[in-house]
Amino acid sequence: MRRLLLPALGTAALLLLSGCTSGPDADADGAFTDDATGELKAWGFDNADEVGTSRLDYAEGQLSDVEITIDQTAFDAQKFTTRAASGVIPDVVQMDRNFVATYAAQGLITPLDQCFAVHDVDPAERYYPSVVDDITYDDHVWAVPQFYQPPAIMLNTRVMAAAGVTADQIDTSKPDALLAAVTKLYQANGNTPALLGLDPVAPSQAGLWLLGMGGQVIGDDGEPTLDDESNRVAVDFLKQLLDAQGGYAKVKSFTDSFDTFGDGNQFVTDQVAAQVDAQWYVNVLTPYVDQVQISAVPFRGPDGQPFTVASGTSFVIPSAAKNRDAACAWALALTSQDAWLAAGDARAATIDETPGAINTGLFTGSPEADQAIRDAHVVPSGNTGFDEAIATFYDVVPNGTSLGASPAGQQIQTELQNALASVFLGDKTTEQALADAQAAAMRAYEAAKD
C-alpha cells in the first residue's frame, strides 16, 4: 500500500526527495526507462500549501505502482553532499537551481536528457528558455525545473503621488532620471532613512541589476565574469542609489527592520516608494488591499525593454539513486500541465473561500501552464493597482535571462555579494572589489572543474 507523507510545497518551498530502496535502476551515464515501479523516497516538501498538495495528489495518482514516502525536512547542501558521499542518497532531490551545475560537475547527479526523452518531454517546449538555461551545463540538462519568480519593481503609488513622481520616472534604462526621482522621493529623520525612494534590494538582487544593465556574472562556459566592464557601471550606479538614500549601512539597517510579511509591512507603513520584488510578494500584500496603493513597472534594460532574471527550484536525481525511473516519472508528473492545472484550481478554491482575496496567478516555469492558469483564474479584481502589478509580472516573465550555470555557482554568488558590500561600504573601489572577487571566483571555478 502506498504511503504519502505530506507537507507539500508552496510557491517558494524547498523540496527534497530522498532515497529509494527498490525499482529499476539506471546506468551512471543517465540511462532511463519509462517503467516506474517500486519504492520512491522523497526528502523535503516542507511548508506545503494547496499548490503543493494538489500536485502531490496528482503525481501519486499517475504512479500507481510506486510506493512514495516523503521526509519533510528542508534541503541542506552539506547534508546532501555527505549523503551522496556515503551512497545513502535520495532518488530525487529538490534544490535551488543555482546548485545544479555544481553537483553536475562533481558527478553527484545524473544528466536527465534521457529521462525527458523516454517520457516524450522536450524541455525547450515545456519550460521558459531562461529556466532551461539555469539547469543546462556541459551540453546536458540536469534537472526538472519548477517555479519561476521574476523580479520587477513594485510601486507605492500613494507615496509617489504625494511627491509628484510618476510611474514612468521609475525607469532603470534611464539611470540619471531614475536617480533624480529616487532623490525626490527619499525622506529621512535626521540622518536616518524614513522612506526609501527605491529599495534596490542590493546586494541580494545584484544579478538583476548587473545583467539588467548589460553586465554578466557567469559566461557561457561556466566561468565567472565578475570583472566585466558593464558590471562596474551597474555597481557604481547602485552605490550612487544607496548613497543618495543615506548610504548602504543605513539603508540595510532600515530595510532589516521592515515587517515584510506582517501587518506593518513597508507598503502599509509607507517606508518605500518603490522596491524590487519577486512576483510572490504581490500575494503577501493581497490581505492588505484596503491599506495599500500599489502598482508595478518592469525593470528595463539599456534598450528600454522589460528585463528580468530567472530563479526557482528544481528536481535532481543523484547518481547513486536506486530508483531513477520512478524519480524521473514523479518529477515530470509534478511539473506536468495537468498537475499545474490542478494546482491552479486548488489555489482558486482557496481564494474563493477567503473574502477579498485576489488571484495573482501561478508562475510555474512553464509558459503554457502559466497562460492556462491565468486564462482560467486571473480576472479583474476591481483594484486597478493590483491588476497592474499582476499584469506587470506576467509581462516580464517571458523576458527572463539566466544568471548562468557554473560548477562554482554558489562561490561566484558569494564572492559577488562580498564585493558589493565592500564597494557600498567604501572599503574598496568598484574595480578593485570586482577584480578581487573575480580572482577568488576563478580559483573556485578551477577547483570545481578538477
Side-chain angles (χ1 to χ4, degrees), residues 175 213 228-238 240 430 434:
M213 298 186 79
D228 183 278
E229 181 62 35
S230 293
N231 289 347
R232 300 176 191 175
V233 174
V235 174
D236 284 341
F237 177 73
L238 279 172
Q240 281 186 287
T430 300
L434 291 179

Side-chain angles (χ1 to χ4, degrees), residues 216-300:
Q216 187 180 51
V217 175
I218 297 172
D220 293 339
D221 56 2
E223 288 193 14
T225 57
L226 298 180
D227 57 352
D228 183 278
E229 181 62 35
S230 293
N231 289 347
R232 300 176 191 175
V233 174
V235 174
D236 284 341
F237 177 73
L238 279 172
K239 187 173 188 322
Q240 281 186 287
L241 195 63
L242 293 164
D243 287 348
Q245 302 180 95
Y248 173 63
K250 292 180 180 179
V251 169
K252 186 176 188 306
S253 179
F254 183 51
T255 57
D256 284 349
S257 73
F258 288 173
D259 184 22
T260 301
F261 299 97
D263 294 344
N265 68 71
Q266 61 272 23
F267 284 88
V268 168
T269 56
D270 292 339
Q271 292 173 301
V272 295
Q275 183 179 53
V276 173
D277 284 299
Q279 182 274 337
W280 56 261
Y281 199 62
V282 184
N283 290 306
V284 173
L285 293 181
T286 55
Y288 308 101
V289 63
D290 294 330
Q291 301 174 58
V292 300
Q293 294 180 25
I294 67 163
S295 185
V297 293
F299 193 102
R300 296 187 182 275

Side-chain angles (χ1 to χ4, degrees), residues 288-319:
Y288 308 101
V289 63
D290 294 330
Q291 301 174 58
V292 300
Q293 294 180 25
I294 67 163
S295 185
V297 293
F299 193 102
R300 296 187 182 275
D303 59 359
Q305 296 303 304
F307 180 90
T308 195
V309 292
S311 64
T313 54
S314 63
F315 300 99
V316 301
I317 299 178
S319 299

